[in-house]
């Protein structure tokens, strides 16, 4: 197979783009898709400060390197969840990346904050991921606002977005459909959120990480019972195999045709936490309550 662009021997075949590329031309394609996403949704500019949520996994680490290489002002934030055997390894990978590429990194340590995930889960007797998600969101927003960042970026890719969309449509979860987009505006004092990888698939990101020699975390979190949307990802991959480009059409079609029709339901009025100022429905926010403030 030959590279579509330069006719050298191809290393990657992309059926959804009806193309194959050699390594150098694949990297051009990759940056091109990323730039297209950033420009199409005016996600950020080179003058703005980006806070990037990193977990140590392939997507967030790849986005980190790609934004650094494209010359964006990006700072990574890693939340050490205090999950033994998992968080130490993830933290090591993230710190090593930061040193290797001389890329700014901030770390929040939940043990130092007094709320490591295993202890909180034991205390609350609630599903780990629901609690963990809320705590991570809190620190991403708080660090972003306190640090004067313009936008919060995450490594969600096309497979994450389409599997979530598929699930929300199958079950007609209208309130979740309203919140599904590559850009979510800032509201109630929370940062604007963007997903610059929404045009790129897991496969394309894995190829990028491989070509760039990124050392990322491959082991899963012990609390994960298999990713929630993984069976939908498998179904969509089967459809994509039969009819290439279905995933991007499905997602872009939703953004163009259905999402503009969804009216945002008025939400209950938010207050600001008496202790830390974070938006909350009550007097004291979830994290401050966990820390013992009432
Ligand atoms: Fe947190 Fe769940 Fe992800 Fe583990 S799998 S890091 S508990 S959200
Ligand atoms: Zn608070």
């Amino acid at each position: 197979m030959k590279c579509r662009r330069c006719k050298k021997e191809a290393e990657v075949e992309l059926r959804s783009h009806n193309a194959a590329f050699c390594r150098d031309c694949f990297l051009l394609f990759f940056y091109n898709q990323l730039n297209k996403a950033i420009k199409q949704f005016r996600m950020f500019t080179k003058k703005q400060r980006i806070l990037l949520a990193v977990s140590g996994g392939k997507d967030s680490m790849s986005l980190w390197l790609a934004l650094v290489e494209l010359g964006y002002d990006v700072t990574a934030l890693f939340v050490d969840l205090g999950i033994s055997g998992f968080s130490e390894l993830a933290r090591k990978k993230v710190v090593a990346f930061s040193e290797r590429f001389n890329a700014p990194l901030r770390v929040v340590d939940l043990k130092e904050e007094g709320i490591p995930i295993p202890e909180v889960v034991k205390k609350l007797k609630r599903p780990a991921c629901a609690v963990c998600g809320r705590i991570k969101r809190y620190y991403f927003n708080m660090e972003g606002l306190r640090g004067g960042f313009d936008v919060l970026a995450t490594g969600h890719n096309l497979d994450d977005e389409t599997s979530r969309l598929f699930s929300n449509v199958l079950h007609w979860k209208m309130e979740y459909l309203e919140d599904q987009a590559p850009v979510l505006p800032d509201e109630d004092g929370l940062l604007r959120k963007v997903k610059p990888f929404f045009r790129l698939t897991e496969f394309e990101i894995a190829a990028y990480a491989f070509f760039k020699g990124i050392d990322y975390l491959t082991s899963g979190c012990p609390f994960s019972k298999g990713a929630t949307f993984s069976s939908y990802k498998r179904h969509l991959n089967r459809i994509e195999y039969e009819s290439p480009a279905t995933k991007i059409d499905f997602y872009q079609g939703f953004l163009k045709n259905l999402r503009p029709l969804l009216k945002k339901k008025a939400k209950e009025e938010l207050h600001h936490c008496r202790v830390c100022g974070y938006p909350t429905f009550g007097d004291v926010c979830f994290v401050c309550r966990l820390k013992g403030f009432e």
Side-chain angles (χ1 to χ4, degrees):
M1 214 182 330
K2 298 284 176 220
C3 172
R4 178 167 84 180
R5 218 175 138 262
C6 74
K7 311 297 176 221
K8 269 199 289 200
E9 204 53 44
E11 282 190 70
V12 194
E13 186 187 7
L14 302 178
R15 282 168 50 91
S16 55
H17 295 272
N18 193 21
F21 292 114
C22 70
R23 187 173 296 211
D24 289 344
C25 294
F26 169 77
L27 292 175
L28 282 179
F29 156 87
F30 189 88
Y31 291 128
N32 191 24
Q33 291 295 317
L34 177 56
N35 276 325
K36 231 176 178 172
I38 294 170
K39 301 238 155 69
Q40 184 186 354
F41 286 91
R42 296 196 176 92
M43 291 185 178
F44 39 72
T45 65
K46 297 230 162 122
K47 289 198 182 117
Q48 288 181 305
R49 295 183 63 220
I50 306 160
L51 185 67
L52 170 67
V54 294
S55 64
K58 126 185 133 302
D59 300 317
S60 57
M61 300 285 265
S62 296
L63 183 56
W64 195 2
L65 182 59
L67 293 178
V68 167
E69 292 207 326
L70 291 175
Y72 285 102
D73 181 354
V74 57
T75 299
L77 174 63
F78 174 74
V79 178
D80 185 326
L81 305 170
I83 301 173
S84 73
F86 171 70
S87 297
E88 296 92 335
L89 195 56
R91 185 166 174 163
K92 259 193 207 149
K93 302 265 182 203
V94 167
V95 170
F97 180 105
S98 161
E99 286 166 359
R100 178 179 165 199
F101 295 104
N102 198 16
L105 168 69
R106 295 182 178 202
V107 175
V108 169
D109 189 324
L110 292 191
K111 273 193 198 146
E112 283 168 19
E113 293 290 303
I115 49 170
I117 295 298
E119 274 181 32
V120 175
V121 168
K122 217 186 276 170
K123 187 168 143 199
L124 297 186
K125 297 188 182 66
R126 296 213 14 235
C129 295
V131 175
C132 178
R134 264 182 101 176
I135 294 180
K136 280 191 291 195
R137 255 194 316 280
Y138 173 90
Y139 283 102
F140 291 142
N141 276 298
M142 283 306 252
E143 285 292 310
L145 292 168
R146 282 182 186 151
F149 289 91
D150 296 292
V151 64
L152 173 66
T154 61
H156 292 98
N157 59 46
L158 182 63
D159 295 86
D160 298 325
E161 291 304 287
T162 47
S163 57
R164 201 173 141 211
L165 176 61
F166 193 39
S167 166
N168 289 338
V169 168
L170 282 180
H171 304 289
W172 291 117
K173 292 197 174 155
M174 300 308 282
E175 70 280 18
Y176 293 144
L177 282 171
E178 283 169 18
D179 275 336
Q180 196 162 359
V183 173
L184 293 172
D186 56 332
E187 56 178 356
D188 301 319
L190 299 179
L191 272 185
R192 186 164 178 266
K193 295 186 188 64
V194 296
K195 300 170 185 171
F197 268 172
F198 85 91
R199 298 182 59 90
L200 287 152
T201 64
E202 247 162 43
F203 173 77
E204 289 156 1
I205 295 166
Y208 172 78
F210 174 73
F211 289 151
K212 287 287 179 182
I214 298 174
D215 183 18
Y216 60 83
L217 186 71
T218 47
S219 51
C221 168
F223 285 111
S224 147
K225 298 179 198 80
T228 331
F229 299 126
S230 61
S231 72
Y232 292 138
K233 281 186 185 172
R234 274 198 305 279
H235 292 308
L236 286 166
N237 280 338
R238 231 170 282 149
I239 299 173
E240 178 81 19
Y241 185 78
E242 302 277 328
S243 68
T246 299
K247 279 193 265 190
I248 190 76
D249 285 351
F250 178 45
Y251 191 61
Q252 297 266 37
F254 161 73
L255 294 178
K256 183 165 169 258
N257 302 312
L258 184 60
R259 198 167 183 282
L261 305 178
L262 300 172
K263 285 201 190 77
K264 261 223 163 300
K265 270 198 219 100
K267 288 196 181 144
E268 214 181 304
E269 205 189 322
L270 283 166
H271 311 276
H272 289 274
C273 170
R274 178 162 54 76
V275 183
C276 71
Y278 192 72
T280 175
F281 291 116
D283 187 34
V284 177
C285 79
F286 173 68
V287 168
C288 289
R289 267 186 284 127
L290 283 176
K291 288 181 176 176
F293 295 100
E294 285 302 335

